[in-house]
Amino acid sequence: MINQCFPFKSPFMEYIFKNVQPQHLIKLYRCSKFFYNKFRRNFIQHLEIIHHDEQEVFDFTKTAIHFCNPALSKLVDFWIIDSLILHVHRSVPFLPEFSNLTIKELQINDDIIWEEFETLTRPATIEKLKLQGIFPLHNSGIYAETRIEDIIAKVPNATSIE
């Protein structure tokens, strides 16, 4: 592909490339295919991880995928930008290490392991949190309860916690 020439100076465009937000990058993708060639980052606006008996949905705005689907591990390079909803009952860690998360809403409809919760809340962009329970998994395999103060500390920008 031929390099794109911009009316702006090179340092200005470099600043945009380094500090771009996902909603702005989507608009830049729509303007020019050069931006996708430069970043090659795919987005999922709303990701939902569901039970194996529910129907999967792959749409522009919503993606619902089974937790046992092998394609789930391929979503690690996708940028999850608005919401993540987990509808899964399990006792072992299964979530892939997503490379970029800027989710505003996190909803967990079952218990989750503390290490997974830390991974999901690492970017500190969650504004709305709804969860069933969190249990840290110790080396001995025994679960222990987590304090509410620890949960609140992981979501400093939250305006709603249930």
Side-chain angles (χ1 to χ4, degrees):
M1 182 177 283
I2 299 171
N3 274 344
Q4 178 116 9
C5 296
F6 296 101
F8 302 113
K9 300 283 185 197
S10 177
F12 184 71
M13 290 308 295
E14 187 174 329
Y15 177 79
I16 290 174
F17 292 145
K18 287 183 180 177
N19 300 307
V20 69
Q21 296 294 320
Q23 62 271 17
H24 302 130
L25 191 56
I26 291 172
K27 291 181 181 183
L28 291 173
Y29 280 0
R30 292 179 183 157
C31 294
S32 171
K33 59 187 166 196
F34 170 78
F35 289 105
Y36 183 76
N37 186 41
K38 175 83 173 163
F39 288 101
R40 295 199 184 266
R41 179 76 52 174
N42 294 319
F43 296 95
I44 297 177
Q45 201 166 11
H46 303 283
L47 177 62
E48 202 168 328
I49 300 175
I50 56 177
H51 294 288
H52 64 279
D53 56 348
E54 297 179 41
Q55 184 175 355
E56 291 184 321
V57 176
F58 298 100
D59 198 349
F60 292 115
T61 58
K62 179 183 174 185
T63 300
I65 188 168
H66 296 149
F67 73 94
C68 57
N69 189 336
L72 179 62
S73 64
K74 296 180 180 172
L75 296 181
V76 296
D77 294 330
F78 282 67
W79 197 338
I80 319 301
I81 57 174
D82 277 342
S83 68
L84 176 63
I85 301 172
L86 303 174
H87 295 287
V88 184
H89 300 284
R90 86 284 177 268
S91 60
V92 294
F94 77 99
L95 284 176
E97 287 276 336
F98 294 109
S99 59
N100 282 321
L101 288 170
T102 54
I103 52 178
K104 296 178 183 111
E105 180 181 350
L106 177 61
Q107 181 177 345
I108 303 168
N109 295 333
D110 193 26
D111 296 335
I112 187 171
I113 298 170
W114 177 255
E115 288 76 15
E116 287 181 346
F117 182 73
E118 283 183 322
T119 303
L120 294 174
T121 57
R122 189 175 308 132
T125 56
I126 295 174
E127 297 172 1
K128 185 177 179 184
L129 175 66
K130 183 177 181 184
L131 57 97
Q132 187 75 24
I134 300 175
F135 297 98
L137 182 63
H138 295 291
N139 294 337
S140 62
I142 300 171
Y143 292 98
E145 292 189 26
T146 305
R147 298 180 324 170
I148 190 70
E149 295 85 10
D150 297 334
I151 295 170
I152 292 172
K154 291 293 179 186
V155 286
N157 296 329
T159 56
S160 170
I161 298 176
E162 293 181 35

